Amino acid sequence: KEQIESLSDQEINEIIVSDLYVNAYEDQDRFNVRYVSSKNDYAVGIEIALYTCPNCGRIGTIKSKEHRFFCDCGLDMIYTKNGWITATNGDDSKFNTILEWDRWQLGELSKKLQQSKDRNLEIFHDSQQTLYMFESEGHRLEVISGTLALYRDRLEFADSDRVVVFSFSDIDNIEITGRMTITFVTKDKTCYEVRSETLRSAKKYRDSFRIIKGMSA
């Protein structure tokens, strides 16, 4: 009790977070549990988490099918029943787990954003995206449906007729709800969400926003 009383709120919070942290891959390495699926679709949707290809370095090019995920540059990987990543040709994979891959891609994204000096250079984009604005009493209003692109200082939504722009300086935060829905709140407390008709990573938008905000802090 005396030890707890001598700690600050931040120190107590760090102890709690440390005690609650679990790395599922450490347990899997010990017990090697198999996941059962009659469809053999272990990799489907993996592009929601893995957004950067380690072969070509492009963002948003990874696609999944059944137990495989791949890029048009030639990358071809397998996500096994045990939750490990292997190469289809039997070679060693650069990453054994989604966690390792994600840590790498976060570092690559940070370098890409820091090196980008041209504010009009697109970092990445996704098509078939719909932007909604929340009105009073929770009603949603469709704002625009088309392509969403991220630049080093803004988000741009575009269809065949117009472009809707949100400067990062006007956005308080970007978060993810569900698997793929992007939500953000502007300085005037207006809440928006972005829904996708195709599998794509919402995480790359949140990661980019946090990195860019950190650069300007």
Side-chain angles (χ1 to χ4, degrees), residues 14 26 34 38 46 48-49 71 78 101 120 124 139 147:
E14 289 175 356
E26 291 178 355
R34 287 195 171 192
S38 59
I46 205 168
I48 294 173
C71 173
I78 293 173
W101 194 308
N120 292 316
F124 53 78
H139 296 297
T147 299

Side-chain angles (χ1 to χ4, degrees), residues 27-28 31 42-43 52 59-60 66 70 77-78 82 92 94 96 110 113 153 161 165 171 178 181 202 204 217:
D27 289 340
Q28 180 65 359
F31 302 113
Y42 307 106
T52 302
I59 298 174
E66 297 177 343
F70 40 85
M77 311 299 290
I78 293 173
N82 303 83
D92 290 337
K94 186 175 181 180
N96 294 319
S110 180
L113 290 170
D153 64 345
D161 299 318
V165 179
I171 297 176
T181 301
K204 65 179 182 282

Side-chain angles (χ1 to χ4, degrees), residues 54-55 75-77 85-96:
N55 272 11
L75 177 83
D76 199 344
M77 311 299 290
I85 294 171
T86 63
T88 55
N89 60 7
D91 292 342
D92 290 337
S93 171
K94 186 175 181 180
F95 312 104
N96 294 319

